[in-house]
Amino acid sequence: MNNSSDSGICLPSAEHMSIPVLMCLVFFMGFLLNIFSVWVFCCHMSSWSAGTILQFCLALSDALGAPVTPLLAVYFAMGNDWLFGQMLCTVTIALLSSQFYGSTIFLTLISFHRYKAVVHFNKSSRMKDKSFIMKLCAGVWLFLIAHSLVYGFGVPATKVGKVTQCHSFSQVSLTNSFFIIGCVLVSVGFLLPLSISAMCYFRVKNALTCLNNITAKSLKVKLKSQRMIRMCLIIFVLCFLPMNVIRTTAIVMVKFYHVHCYVIHQLQTAYYASWIIAGLNCFLDPLLYCFGSQNFRNAFPSFQVKPAEPQQSDTEMTTNLMLTQNNCSPRSH
């Protein structure tokens, strides 16, 4: 393992081969699942609700990182030597960043959409307007493009020792850029969406505890909503918390304690491993569509456990749920 050069710069070290192998496996399988989800949305759902549009955008964002995963596998296999030029390094960083933070944004919008539908069911909201949601999603995509370009061009590929590095903490010339971008990403890209989603879902859970005269169908909706709450919070904490914590720790170490090369190398390896963990959201989000959306399940008769029982759309189920909500005043929320 390389430790440092005579100038005190931490030279890059090769990653274990399990990193590229697992990364390719996770991202490829997640890509297939999300392409399947996109196919269901486009070919088997004749009408879309506002929630469906958000789920479709989430599926698209989850599939962005897979095309550049083979480049990363070659990069790691070649001892962290980037052979594909400046532009492909920028594209790789841009797509991975758009996948990770596009997922957090669309999960947050899904959270807020559920919050408005359940807690403020008797109030008009633009979150129920499909045309507004389409414009909102278009704005999010424009934001992701701008953010990914700033990220990609802000930390370009550079020569470190005898190898070319792409998005490595060994790129000491980019230390300030890593620090500024990392602080923005962890605060705006993770902590803010997580806080909003947690607030929305716990408010929804609190509203559901006020159900009165619960029918069997209303109880089914309550249990489904609670599963949605757990699933979204699990995705945030399990998939995206490690990556943001490790990157923040690493950029602080590189900026203020750069002489500790061994620790920085371990953090670099842990950071790449956290990409694999973050990629697991590609597996979990399709479960969100399948178990959390009646419209998605209705797209295939084989998804129905009891075909003889009339199926309700998500809007109808939410309406029936609200009819039982007699004890909670909207003002209390």
Side-chain angles (χ1 to χ4, degrees):
M1 177 185 294
N2 295 324
N3 290 321
S4 63
S5 64
D6 295 336
S7 60
I9 297 175
C10 291
L11 297 177
S13 61
E15 305 298 334
H16 194 274
M17 282 303 298
S18 61
I19 297 290
V21 170
L22 289 175
M23 188 175 293
C24 286
L25 179 63
V26 168
F27 278 80
F28 178 71
M29 294 301 297
F31 178 77
L32 293 180
L33 283 173
N34 282 284
I35 289 300
F36 171 76
S37 299
V38 169
W39 175 66
V40 172
F41 285 127
C42 293
C43 301
H44 289 268
M45 297 180 68
S46 56
S47 61
W48 288 16
S49 65
T52 304
I53 296 172
L54 293 173
Q55 292 173 0
F56 173 76
C57 289
L58 177 60
L60 281 182
S61 67
D62 284 346
L64 290 177
V68 297
T69 306
L71 301 181
L72 290 172
V74 174
Y75 173 52
F76 295 139
M78 297 300 294
N80 286 22
D81 188 8
W82 185 259
L83 307 175
F84 306 106
Q86 185 71 257
M87 184 53 64
L88 281 180
C89 177
T90 299
V91 170
T92 298
I93 296 173
L95 288 178
L96 285 173
S97 179
S98 295
Q99 172 178 334
F100 296 147
Y101 293 100
S103 296
T104 62
I105 291 174
F106 286 116
L107 281 171
T108 302
L109 289 177
I110 291 172
S111 303
F112 191 70
H113 176 261
R114 283 290 177 125
Y115 165 74
K116 297 294 288 186
V118 174
V119 178
H120 298 290
F121 63 95
N122 60 346
K123 297 181 180 180
S124 61
S125 172
R126 300 189 72 181
M127 292 298 292
K128 303 175 185 178
D129 183 358
K130 288 194 292 184
S131 62
F132 172 76
I133 291 296
M134 291 178 67
K135 294 176 182 177
L136 179 62
C137 290
V140 171
W141 283 112
L142 289 175
F143 169 78
L144 288 174
I145 292 173
H147 141 267
S148 61
L149 290 177
V150 171
Y151 195 3
F153 286 106
V155 286
T158 59
K159 198 79 172 178
V160 180
K162 297 181 180 180
V163 299
T164 300
Q165 294 277 280
C166 177
H167 202 277
S168 169
F169 299 129
S170 298
Q171 297 171 272
V172 293
S173 61
L174 303 177
T175 297
N176 290 332
S177 297
F178 273 119
F179 186 80
I180 294 172
I181 293 174
C183 289
V184 172
L185 288 178
V186 74
S187 57
V188 179
F190 176 71
L191 292 178
L192 180 61
L194 175 61
S195 300
I196 294 174
S197 296
M199 182 275 295
C200 290
Y201 279 112
F202 281 117
R203 293 288 293 275
V204 169
K205 185 175 182 180
N206 181 61
L208 292 174
T209 60
C210 300
L211 290 173
N212 185 35
N213 300 323
I214 301 178
T215 64
K217 290 182 179 179
S218 298
L219 179 60
K220 180 180 178 180
V221 178
K222 177 182 178 180
L223 294 175
K224 187 190 77 168
S225 298
Q226 290 178 335
R227 286 196 298 268
M228 286 283 288
I229 294 169
R230 288 194 297 268
M231 179 64 70
C232 288
L233 293 180
I234 286 172
I235 291 172
F236 261 112
V237 175
L238 176 64
C239 296
F240 299 114
L241 178 62
M243 180 180 67
N244 285 275
V245 170
I246 292 170
R247 186 187 58 239
T248 303
T249 305
I251 61 177
V252 170
M253 286 291 300
V254 171
K255 185 170 179 62
F256 300 106
Y257 306 99
H258 60 273
V259 296
H260 299 283
C261 290
Y262 176 77
V263 176
I264 292 174
H265 288 152
Q266 297 303 307
L267 288 171
Q268 182 75 70
T269 300
Y271 182 50
Y272 290 145
S274 72
W275 287 1
I276 301 172
I277 298 173
L280 292 176
N281 81 298
C282 298
F283 292 86
L284 298 178
D285 288 342
L287 295 179
L288 197 68
Y289 317 142
C290 187
F291 296 109
S293 174
Q294 187 66 41
N295 295 333
F296 190 92
R297 294 197 301 274
N298 286 344
F300 288 98
S302 58
F303 287 176
Q304 309 304 323
V305 179
K306 297 180 180 180
E309 181 181 350
Q311 297 293 336
Q312 295 177 301
S313 67
D314 292 338
T315 303
E316 291 171 334
M317 294 176 73
T318 302
T319 301
N320 288 336
L321 172 64
M322 293 307 114
L323 292 176
T324 66
Q325 215 165 0
N326 298 325
N327 289 341
C328 292
S329 171
R331 293 181 180 179
S332 64
H333 302 292

